[in-house]
Amino acid sequence: MDLTILEKIDSTNKYLKEKKYKKNWEIVMAKEQTAGKGRRGKVWNSNKGGAWFSFCFAEDKYLSKTEYGKIPLIAGLAVIKGLEEIEKLNYKIKWPNDVYVGKRKISGILLEKSGDFFIVGIGINVNNVDFGEFKDIGISLNKITDKIYNIEKLVMLVASKFKKEYYRFLRGEWEEILLEIKEKNYLKNRVVEVMVNSEVIKGEVIGINNSAELCIKKNNEIYEIKSGEIRIVYTNN
Ligand code: BTN
């Protein structure tokens, strides 16, 4: 996987999306982003010190949209596997694609599509300590351990872990991958709220199903959520 390192750019996702001739599995990282993008149009605070990177891979025409819905969770698992190699902490996946340590967010993932390519954008708080408007929710490795980490190494690790998991997925190992994801489900047994077709569903998270949907139990009825912003109401465990 080729790595391009940029000093400063608006957004590595935008850079790759707009790049005319994309190479399969090329990675672009920036030391700083001036217009880092989060999901749902949010701004992603990208000061120096974090791992801000994107990589792309060509779509497999044989895979359905439902199959591609599993990619965010696979990316979350890859982030955890990469992080575990440089610092052993209790990382969890907050469905569909955030990584948490304790009650705080250490990483966010933004999956986009450009032509025949998928762009996986990953932000990991590493040596940075200022999270701007996310100060009450963000955390970085440095804040936890006081150590300084090699960002390039982490970027390469996470991207290659993703590639490995993605090929496992293409080989038909989704069930095994899902088991690993389930073990790291941050939302399990928590009471959450999520908007579905302008209706708020409030209930207990009972798990993630085979289609990568979040299963919420409300008054003995199970709701299977395809996408949405999850708000935690309280924790049962
Ligand atoms: C989120 O949690 O809302 C997703 C955040 C994704 C941030 C990364 S940083 C590298 C890449 N470039 C961007 O502009 N966004 C992603």
Side-chain angles (χ1 to χ4, degrees), residues 152-166:
E152 230 176 283
K153 182 177 160 195
L154 177 63
V155 167
M156 287 307 293
L157 261 172
V158 171
S160 58
K161 295 281 179 195
F162 178 86
K163 190 174 171 186
K164 199 166 155 196
E165 294 304 315
Y166 180 67

Side-chain angles (χ1 to χ4, degrees), residues 10-14 28 33 35-40 42-44 46 51-54 97-98 105 107-112 120-124 134:
D10 45 4
S11 150
T12 56
N13 259 44
K14 186 163 172 267
V28 178
Q33 291 185 125
K37 288 196 291 179
R39 284 196 308 279
R40 295 168 199 281
K42 288 191 189 143
V43 170
W44 179 260
S46 317
W52 321 130
F53 63 107
S54 307
N97 44 7
D98 288 336
K105 176 164 166 173
S107 171
I109 296 158
L110 174 67
L111 184 73
E112 294 189 286
V120 184
I122 300 180
I124 309 176
F134 296 106

Side-chain angles (χ1 to χ4, degrees), residues 188-205:
K188 176 107 185 168
N189 299 331
R190 292 183 200 258
V191 174
V192 300
E193 270 181 359
V194 61
M195 282 278 267
V196 178
N197 306 328
S198 65
E199 186 197 345
V200 179
I201 309 285
K202 181 177 166 188
E204 185 184 336
V205 172

